[in-house]
Amino acid sequence: MTANTANSSRHVKQSRFMRKALPYILSLPALLMCIGILIPFFTAVYYSMLRYRLNLPQMKGFIWFGNYVNFFYDPSFWNTVYISLLYAFLTVSLELMLGLAIALLLQKPTRFNNIASILLLLPLMTAPALASLMWKLMTNPNFGILSYFAGLLGFHDFRWASDPSTALFTVVLVDIWVYTPFIMILLLAGLRSLPQAPFEAAALDGVPRSFVFFRITLPMLMPYIITASLFRLLDSIQQFDIIYSMTQGGPGDKLLVFQVQAYLDFFQSTNVGRSAALMIILWAITYFLSNIFIKQWLKLRERAHGAG
Amino acid sequence: MTQLELKSLTKSYGAYKVFDGLNLAAEPGEIVVIFGGSGTGKTILLRLIAGVEEPTSGLIEIEGNDVADIAPEHRNIGMAFQNFALFPHLSAFENIATPLRAQNASAELVRSGVDKVAKLLKIDHVLGHAPRELSNGQKQRTALARALAAGPRILLLDDPLRNVDAKLRFEMRLELPRLLRQTGAAVLYVTQDYKEAMALADRIAVIANGKFIQTAAPEDIYLKPATLGVAQLFGDPSINTADTKVELAGKTVNVTLGGAKVPIVSSYSSYAGRLVTFGVRPEAVEINASKGAGLAANVMAVTPLNERTVLLLHSEGGWEFLASLPSSATNIPEPGAKVKASFAASGTHLFDKTTAERLHG
Amino acid sequence: MDHSSTFEKALRSALITLVLIFFLFPILWIFLMSLQTNETILRIPPSILFEPNLDNYRALITGKLQTTAGNLDIAFMRNLWNSVLLSTFSVALSLLLGVPAAYAFARFKFRLGEDIAFTLLSFRFAPPLLVLLPLSLYFKTLGLTNTYIGLIWVYQLICLPLILWIVRGYFEDISPDIEHAYRIAGNSWWKTFTRVAIPLARPGIAAAGLLAFIFAWNNFVFALILASADKQPVTVGALAFVTASGIQYGQIAAAIVLSVTPTLALALYAQRYLVEGLSMGAVKG
C-alpha cells in the first residue's frame, strides 16, 4: 500500500488540463452536431436573400430582403399564412378540448382506464405519413368505409380530401386522430400528479363540481395545459407529413401550409430564394413560440426532477 | 510522519468564501473531529481532501506530498458520507468490496477482507442484501465498512451518525473510537453534535466563519474555550453569559450581574475597567442555602434533564441564569425557593466584549 | 368519497368506449383490409364477413405482385429493411454521442454545455425543411445524397435532443456522492461513468432509446428529401407504393400494417416511459 502511494508521483498524476477538458471532450460530438445544424441554418438565411432559381442559374444574385418584400404583395404568401394559422388553431384547440375531456374521463387509475389510455397511444405512435394513408384508404370514394358511412348519413358522394370545401376538415380530422392522444396523455399524467388535499376538502364541504373543475382542477392543471398546447402548436404550425401524404397541398392551393409550400417552391419551381425566405419566416414564428414553450417546459421539468 | 496536513487551505465559490486559510495536521491513528454548525463548509473540506473538488488556494499534503495533481482514486482515502451514498445497484457485499476490487484483489482476498470488516461492524448477516433492503443503521455500517475495507491511510467520516436513530447513535459513539483507532488511519470526523465530538475526538477543530477558531483536545475546548463562541457551542445547557465590566474594589475583583456585585478570582485584576462578557457554565453554579454567601436568586423552575437537574434562576437584580446539578444531589431546591448562588472558578470565564476572545485569568 | 351514481358510471363507460372506437377503428379496419382480396374490399355495402387470407403479405414478402396487367416487382421489403437499418443505427449513434454529453451537461455545469443543450432543443422545434433544403444542396456536393450515412447523420436531428434531455434528467437524479464514493474507493473517472452512472441511468437511457427509435422510424420528411427509392424507409416507400400499385388496396393495407407494427409493438412494450419521452423529460408518468 505504501508502494501504491510512492509510485503515485509517476503515472498516477492526472493532468490538470485533462480534468478541465473532460466536460468539453464529452460534449464535443454534440457540439459538432450543433455546428452541423447551424451551418445549413445560416446558409438558409443567406439563400433567403438571393434571387436563386436552380433552373435559371445565370439569374442568381444578392437582393437583400427582396424575397421578403415580394411576399408582402403576394396573395399566395398570405394564403399560406392564413392556412397555416387556421390549421394550427383548429387542430390545437380541438385536440386540447378533446384531450382534456378524455383525460378527465380516464382520471381514475382503474385497470380499465389504464388499458384504455395505453391503447389510445397507438395512433400517436403511428407514423403520421402512414396514418394519412390509412385515412386515404378509408375515405376512398369507391370502397372507403368512411365514405360509405357518410352516404348512410345522407352525404352522398362526400369527397373528403379531394373536395376543396372539405379538404381542410379531412386533414384536421387526421391530425386530431394522430395527436389528441399526445395532449391526453400529458394532461392525464398532470391530473394524476395533482395533490389530493384540495379535492378532498372540496368534497367534504360539498362544493359543486363545476366550481371544483373551474376553480381547482383547471388552474392546477394549467402548467400542463400550457406546455402540451405550446408543444402541439409548435408542431402543428409546421405540419408537413399529414398534408403532403394526403393531398400534397391540394386541391388547388387549399392546403398549402408553410412547409408544403416551401417544399414545392424548392423542388417544383426550384425557387430556392423564395423557399428559404418562407422557411426563415416560419422559423421566426416557431422560435418566438419555442422560447415561451421552453420556459414553461423547464418549470415542469424542474418539478418532475425535483421530486425524484 | 504527519499523515495529513492542510496548509492555508482556502475555498471560495465566486465571491463567496466558504473558508479561508485552514491549517490542520493529523497523525496516524489520531481522530480529529471537525466541529461546527451547518453551512460552515465541513463537508466541502472533506471533499477537497478526497479530491472530488479543488481548493481555491492552499495545500493538501498526504504523507508530506502535495496531492493537488493526484486523482481521488489514488489518494488512498476512505470516506463515509452523511447520506451513506451506497451503490443502489450493488449488494452490501459488493458495496464493501468496491475498494478491494479497485485494487484488483483476488477473489479470496476480497471475500476475506469484506468478511473481516463486516464482522467487525456486525453486518455479516446482511451482506447479500441490496441497499434498499437495509435498515438505516445497517446502511450506515455498510457505508462505514466500505470506507474501512481497503485499509486507507486517511478516513473521512462526514457526520456518519446523523441519519441513524438515537439508540444506534449512542452505541456507535461508544464503539467507534476503538474501531477507528484500530485502523491506524488518520481520521477526520465531521459532526455538529458536541457530545459526539467530545466522545470521539483526540482533538477537536472548531470551525466557524470560515476559520478554525480553536483546535485542541476535548477537555481543553471545554475548560479553556478560545472564544465565547466556542464556549457557547460546547455544553448543554449552554454557558450563562452577562455583559459587564471588571471592577477593582480593594483586593477583590468584581463583576456586576443584574445590579449585584459578584466577586471573581483575583487573577483577573489586570483587566480592571475592561468591558467583558462574563460566562459561567451551569455545571459551575453552586447552590447554597439563602443564609450563605453568594448572589441572591429565586428558583423559577426545576427541570430534570438526563442525569442532571436544571434550575432556572432569577437574581434579585433581574439576571436570568441556569444551574445544572447532579440529580443525585441532596440540596436541590423547590421552585419558588430563595437561594444564594456562587460560581466555581474552573467554569467561570471572562471574554473580551469586542473580540469575544477568552481573557486569561 | 365516491358519489358518482350508476348512471354516471354508465355514461362514463359509454363515452370511453366511443373514444376507443374512434381512435382504434382505423387501425383495426386497415388490418382487416390487409387480409382481404380486392373483390371483398370493393363490396358495397362493406362487410366484416370474409375469408381471411395472407395473399397480400405473401406478395409483399416475395416481392412479386400479380396484377391484371402482368407481374410487377415490388421493393417494399427493401423499404422495411431500410427503416430497420436507419432507425437502429441512428439511435445507436445518438446514444453513443448523446449519453456522454448528457452526463457532461448534468454533472459539470458549464456555459458551453448549456448553450449546446438549448441550441439542440430549440432546433428540435424549428421547421425541419429549414435545415433540410440547404442540406440537400450540401449533400449533393459532399456525395452524401442517398447514402445511409447521410441519412443517419440527419436523423440525429430528432434522436439527439431527445436522448440528451431525457438522459440528462436521469443523471441529474443520481446523487453526486454516489459517484464520488466510487471514485474515492479507487476507480477512475471512466470506470465510475460506465459502472455507476450508466447502470443507474439505464431506465432513462432505455426509454430515450426506444422513443428515439419510434420517432426515427416514423420520420417522413428527411428521407423524402434526401433519399431515392432504394434507401427510403417505409414512411416514404408506402406513399410511393400507393402511386405505383394503383388499385392493389389489399397490398397497400398489408404494407401499412407491416410498417406500423414495429412502432406500435415497441410503444406497448415501453408504454411506461412514453409520457416522459413525449414530453422530453418534463413530465414523469
Side-chain angles (χ1 to χ4, degrees):
Chain A
M1 223 152 280
T2 322
N4 246 348
T5 341
N7 69 28
S8 67
S9 44
R10 247 179 302 125
H11 56 87
V12 147
K13 267 195 183 165
Q14 56 175 8
S15 84
R16 260 161 218 261
F17 172 76
M18 270 304 287
R19 219 180 326 162
K20 293 264 184 255
L22 184 61
Y24 298 95
I25 294 171
L26 290 178
S27 39
L28 192 66
L31 175 68
L32 290 178
M33 191 63 218
C34 264
I35 295 170
I37 293 172
L38 288 173
I39 291 175
F41 169 70
F42 286 112
T43 309
V45 174
Y46 171 67
Y47 283 169
S48 79
M49 299 185 188
L50 292 183
R51 188 192 304 113
Y52 184 14
R53 287 165 178 267
L54 291 178
N55 55 348
L56 300 167
Q58 67 280 11
M59 263 177 54
K60 193 171 170 180
F62 195 79
I63 53 166
W64 289 100
F65 298 101
N67 288 317
Y68 298 93
V69 174
N70 288 343
F71 281 146
F72 203 77
Y73 306 101
D74 181 355
S76 82
F77 169 75
W78 292 109
N79 178 57
T80 295
V81 173
Y82 170 72
I83 295 287
S84 300
L85 293 181
L86 185 62
Y87 182 86
F89 171 76
L90 286 177
T91 53
V92 176
S93 54
L94 292 172
E95 283 159 19
L96 180 59
M97 282 189 275
L98 200 54
L100 179 59
I102 301 172
L104 287 168
L105 277 177
L106 299 177
Q107 186 175 4
K108 247 188 227 153
T110 62
R111 208 182 150 74
F112 173 73
N113 285 353
N114 286 342
I115 293 175
S117 71
I118 293 166
L119 288 177
L120 286 181
L121 285 171
L122 294 182
L124 184 59
M125 292 298 133
T126 309
L130 295 170
S132 300
L133 292 187
M134 292 165 67
W135 282 77
K136 238 175 150 168
L137 286 180
M138 292 198 303
T139 56
N140 185 296
N142 297 323
F143 63 88
I145 180 82
L146 294 183
S147 301
Y148 174 74
F149 286 154
L152 289 187
L153 291 172
F155 297 99
H156 295 288
D157 208 23
F158 195 79
R159 309 290 300 184
W160 300 94
S162 25
D163 183 333
S165 61
T166 52
L168 182 64
F169 164 77
T170 309
V171 287
V172 167
L173 187 63
V174 179
D175 196 294
I176 287 174
W177 185 75
V178 174
Y179 288 111
T180 301
F182 176 82
I183 298 211
M184 182 278 291
I185 198 74
L186 288 199
L187 296 191
L188 186 62
L191 273 176
R192 288 185 178 174
S193 72
L194 296 184
Q196 284 308 298
F199 296 100
E200 281 160 13
L204 282 180
D205 295 347
V207 177
R209 289 167 74 174
S210 60
F211 186 89
V212 172
F213 176 74
F214 285 107
R215 296 300 178 81
I216 304 179
T217 314
L218 216 48
M220 291 204 324
L221 200 59
M222 212 32 103
Y224 294 90
I225 293 177
I226 293 173
T227 308
S229 316
L230 280 171
F231 205 128
R232 237 8 315 284
L233 186 61
L234 277 164
D235 274 352
S236 185
I237 202 159
Q238 33 181 300
Q239 182 52 255
F240 179 86
D241 299 12
I242 292 175
I243 294 173
Y244 186 84
S245 309
M246 249 356 228
T247 75
Q248 310 206 332
D253 60 358
K254 270 293 160 195
L255 295 176
L256 287 177
V257 293
F258 270 109
Q259 288 216 98
V260 175
Q261 179 71 61
Y263 178 82
L264 296 178
D265 278 349
F266 192 93
F267 287 101
Q268 278 184 8
S269 336
T270 65
N271 191 340
V272 176
R274 185 181 201 269
S275 173
L278 264 182
M279 281 300 89
I280 295 294
I281 289 175
L282 179 58
W283 172 79
I285 298 172
T286 55
Y287 185 75
F288 170 74
L289 287 173
S290 74
N291 275 339
I292 306 175
F293 165 77
I294 288 172
K295 269 194 205 105
Q296 295 291 331
W297 176 84
L298 280 176
K299 267 189 224 159
L300 271 195
R301 187 174 181 276
E302 229 155 75
R303 193 185 292 188
H305 287 280
Chain B
M1 181 172 40
T2 304
Q3 189 66 46
L4 171 70
E5 192 160 2
L6 311 180
K7 290 181 175 167
S8 40
L9 197 64
T10 299
K11 176 71 182 173
S12 41
Y13 295 101
Y16 173 64
K17 223 163 213 178
V18 185
F19 42 74
D20 186 9
L22 298 188
N23 294 295
L24 186 72
E27 307 299 322
E30 186 186 28
I31 304 174
V32 178
V33 169
I34 313 284
F35 174 85
S38 56
T40 46
K42 305 183 297 292
T43 299
I44 296 171
L45 175 62
L46 294 195
R47 284 176 207 263
L48 295 186
I49 297 168
V52 294
E53 262 189 79
E54 284 174 59
T56 308
S57 67
L59 287 182
I60 300 167
E61 291 183 354
I62 296 177
E63 293 175 348
N65 299 315
D66 176 9
V67 294
D69 284 334
I70 310 285
E73 60 266 32
H74 299 300
R75 292 192 181 187
N76 199 2
I77 280 174
M79 181 160 174
F81 293 79
Q82 195 191 93
N83 57 15
F84 313 135
L86 295 175
F87 313 126
H89 59 309
L90 300 179
S91 67
F93 180 91
E94 282 306 322
N95 262 280
I96 299 169
T98 315
L100 296 164
R101 294 220 188 277
Q103 298 177 350
N104 293 321
S106 69
E108 304 95 82
L109 261 176
V110 169
R111 171 137 290 285
S112 66
V114 173
D115 280 348
K116 195 178 125 212
V117 67
K119 270 210 188 76
L120 202 64
L121 285 158
K122 302 180 197 121
I123 42 170
D124 38 336
H125 58 296
V126 292
L127 286 179
H129 292 20
R132 63 173 182 283
E133 300 164 331
L134 301 176
S135 71
N136 258 4
Q138 289 165 340
K139 279 182 195 163
Q140 187 270 327
R141 281 162 185 265
T142 308
L144 207 55
R146 183 178 67 188
L148 296 173
R153 318 301 296 276
I154 295 172
L155 259 177
L156 306 175
L157 308 180
D158 187 1
D159 217 346
L161 303 184
R162 181 82 179 280
N163 291 322
V164 300
D165 62 71
K167 180 172 172 289
L168 183 71
R169 197 177 316 150
F170 183 74
E171 286 172 15
M172 289 300 281
R173 230 181 252 165
L174 297 177
E175 217 177 308
L176 269 177
R178 184 182 52 85
L179 203 99
L180 294 178
R181 267 185 206 99
Q182 254 176 31
T183 66
V187 181
L188 287 199
Y189 187 109
V190 157
T191 181
Q192 36 183 320
D193 177 335
Y194 91 94
K195 280 185 185 152
E196 204 169 304
M198 303 287 277
L200 294 171
D202 293 318
R203 282 187 301 141
I204 298 176
V206 183
I207 189 168
N209 301 322
K211 302 212 183 282
F212 285 141
I213 42 180
Q214 186 170 14
T215 306
E219 49 287 6
D220 287 344
I221 295 265
Y222 187 78
L223 294 172
K224 300 174 198 157
T227 67
L228 177 61
V230 174
Q232 282 171 326
L233 285 170
F234 289 82
D236 181 26
S238 78
I239 191 167
N240 297 301
T241 58
D243 288 345
T244 178
K245 195 169 163 186
V246 181
E247 284 162 329
L248 211 56
K251 285 212 162 169
T252 13
V253 185
N254 283 329
V255 289
T256 314
L257 300 175
K261 299 247 186 269
V262 177
I264 53 173
V265 284
S266 55
S267 54
Y268 285 113
S269 59
S270 58
Y271 300 110
R274 177 104 67 129
L275 287 175
V276 298
T277 301
F278 168 82
V280 59
R281 295 207 179 270
E283 296 83 9
V285 177
E286 286 158 8
I287 300 294
N288 312 310
S290 59
K291 282 167 227 122
L295 181 65
N298 294 320
V299 179
M300 310 300 291
V302 179
T303 316
L305 184 77
N306 301 329
E307 289 88 53
R308 300 187 74 87
T309 299
V310 176
L311 312 181
L312 174 64
L313 299 150
H314 215 281
S315 82
E316 282 174 357
W319 184 53
E320 236 179 43
F321 60 106
L322 298 173
S324 167
L325 308 175
S327 292
S328 56
T330 51
N331 61 339
I332 295 176
E334 296 289 311
K338 286 188 188 307
V339 296
K340 289 279 170 63
S342 56
F343 309 120
S346 65
T348 307
H349 308 290
L350 293 184
F351 303 94
D352 186 275
K353 183 78 183 65
T354 42
T355 63
E357 273 168 26
R358 186 167 62 90
L359 304 174
H360 297 275
Chain C
M1 287 302 286
D2 196 356
H3 301 299
S4 42
S5 61
T6 338
F7 168 73
E8 199 190 309
K9 272 185 195 152
L11 186 69
R12 260 175 193 267
S13 307
L15 285 174
I16 294 174
T17 312
L18 221 67
V19 166
L20 282 174
I21 290 174
F22 174 72
F23 285 102
L24 297 182
F25 176 77
I27 298 175
L28 187 71
W29 190 253
I30 297 299
F31 176 66
L32 291 178
M33 209 182 229
S34 74
L35 300 173
Q36 302 179 48
T37 59
N38 255 11
E39 287 95 77
T40 53
I41 290 173
L42 291 168
R43 265 182 320 189
I44 304 261
S47 162
I48 54 164
L49 297 174
F50 62 89
E51 216 163 288
N53 70 71
L54 295 172
D55 288 350
N56 296 322
Y57 291 97
R58 203 166 292 129
L60 287 177
I61 291 167
T62 56
K64 294 276 178 272
L65 184 58
Q66 279 163 6
T67 67
T68 43
N71 276 1
L72 210 74
D73 281 337
I74 43 176
F76 187 75
M77 290 318 279
R78 172 99 205 173
N79 296 130
L80 206 56
W81 171 241
N82 286 341
S83 275
V84 172
L85 207 73
L86 288 172
S87 309
T88 309
F89 280 98
S90 299
V91 172
L93 180 65
S94 222
L95 287 173
L96 203 67
L97 304 183
V99 171
Y103 181 76
F105 300 163
R107 275 288 170 266
F108 317 98
K109 304 285 177 200
F110 59 119
R111 186 60 203 278
L112 180 73
E114 292 299 309
D115 288 346
I116 295 173
F118 279 97
T119 306
L120 286 174
L121 182 67
S122 139
F123 273 96
R124 156 69 182 76
F125 297 109
L129 285 180
L130 170 71
V131 175
L132 278 176
L133 297 182
L135 215 52
S136 71
L137 297 181
Y138 278 127
F139 268 32
K140 264 195 199 113
T141 331
L142 295 171
L144 283 172
T145 319
N146 202 31
T147 59
Y148 288 123
I149 292 178
L151 283 170
I152 288 168
W153 187 76
V154 175
Y155 271 50
Q156 300 309 309
L157 267 173
I158 346 170
C159 299
L160 200 56
L162 187 79
I163 282 170
L164 214 52
W165 277 96
I166 295 181
V167 176
R168 176 186 182 169
Y170 273 80
F171 281 136
E172 278 169 352
D173 286 348
I174 304 171
S175 156
D177 280 349
I178 291 182
E179 287 174 35
H180 290 159
Y182 201 72
R183 278 207 81 175
I184 294 166
N187 297 288
S188 64
W189 170 82
W190 176 249
K191 232 172 158 185
T192 308
F193 177 59
T194 54
R195 302 278 179 85
V196 176
I198 288 188
L200 292 185
R202 185 166 292 152
I205 296 174
L210 283 169
L211 246 284
F213 185 91
I214 292 174
F215 286 156
W217 184 285
N218 287 352
N219 186 274
F220 172 69
V221 66
F222 292 0
L224 176 74
I225 289 175
L226 297 174
S228 322
D230 64 320
K231 298 287 183 338
Q232 280 169 350
V234 286
T235 42
V236 187
L239 188 64
F241 183 48
V242 170
T243 326
S245 66
I247 53 155
Q248 300 304 314
Y249 302 115
Q251 271 116 26
I252 297 173
I256 294 175
V257 171
L258 284 181
S259 308
V260 301
T261 305
T263 52
L264 297 194
L266 270 185
L268 290 180
Y269 172 70
Q271 45 90 9
R272 179 156 85 83
Y273 299 115
L274 285 184
V275 182
E276 185 161 8
L278 289 168
S279 66
M280 310 236 332
V283 177
K284 281 191 175 173

